Amino acid sequence: MVRYINVKSKSRIEFIDVTEIVQSVLKESGIKDGVCCLYVPHTTAGITINEGADPSVQRDILNTLSKLVPHDLSYFHREGNADAHIKSTIVGNSVNVIVDEGKLLLGTWQSIFFCEFDGPRHRRIAVKFL
Ligand code: ZN
């Protein structure tokens, strides 16, 4: 069984903390031990785990990605969102989190972020428990 989390981004580029909603999907499932696979079925978005306590970290990651992969370079892809495809590949489109005693095994400072690179859009995250 695959569950889905709907995400609505508001900017072209942003991180959206989905830790609490993933935890609530886990709680609903009743699963106590295993692995939570989170998969983003999009080519211009991603998912990552990083610091959630200080929002400056998210800003630094986004700013650095934008410096590495500028929006306005001349790319072959003509849709105008080549940078978003590249950022999606750099960040990746899946993460796995160990489930222990019904909780996501995240470090104190870790949060799960949906990464929007070509918003605003309606997106979704597929969730599978193993
Ligand atoms: Zn494209």
Side-chain angles (χ1 to χ4, degrees):
M1 178 185 179
V2 178
R3 296 163 170 89
Y4 288 94
I5 294 169
N6 292 308
V7 179
K8 190 177 183 299
S9 60
K10 291 176 183 150
S11 307
R12 181 161 195 274
I13 295 175
E14 69 177 307
F15 276 14
I16 298 170
D17 189 336
V18 293
T19 313
E20 278 187 27
I21 190 159
V22 174
Q23 185 63 53
S24 70
V25 171
L26 171 61
K27 194 175 177 187
E28 244 176 58
S29 76
I31 288 164
K32 299 295 177 199
D33 289 282
V35 178
C36 173
C37 302
L38 300 167
Y39 176 78
V40 170
H42 302 290
T43 60
T44 56
I47 191 163
T48 193
I49 296 173
N50 213 301
E51 170 152 349
D54 180 1
S56 302
V57 175
Q58 300 154 48
R59 290 179 62 191
D60 285 337
I61 294 170
L62 288 171
N63 285 344
T64 303
L65 281 171
S66 292
K67 280 181 195 160
L68 290 170
V69 190
H71 179 48
D72 55 358
L73 282 186
S74 76
Y75 298 101
F76 290 111
H77 183 55
R78 290 174 181 266
E79 199 186 6
N81 62 356
D83 64 310
H85 290 287
I86 295 165
K87 287 167 189 155
S88 169
T89 283
I90 290 172
V91 166
N93 63 352
S94 68
V95 293
N96 295 318
V97 185
I98 293 170
V99 174
D100 184 44
E101 296 180 353
K103 288 186 177 168
L104 299 167
L105 193 64
L106 292 168
T108 307
W109 309 111
Q110 285 183 314
S111 293
I112 305 166
F113 293 99
F114 175 85
C115 311
E116 178 61 78
F117 298 122
D118 194 27
R121 292 182 191 229
H122 289 277
R123 304 288 205 171
R124 60 187 193 159
I125 304 168
V127 185
K128 177 86 177 173
F129 297 107
L130 304 175

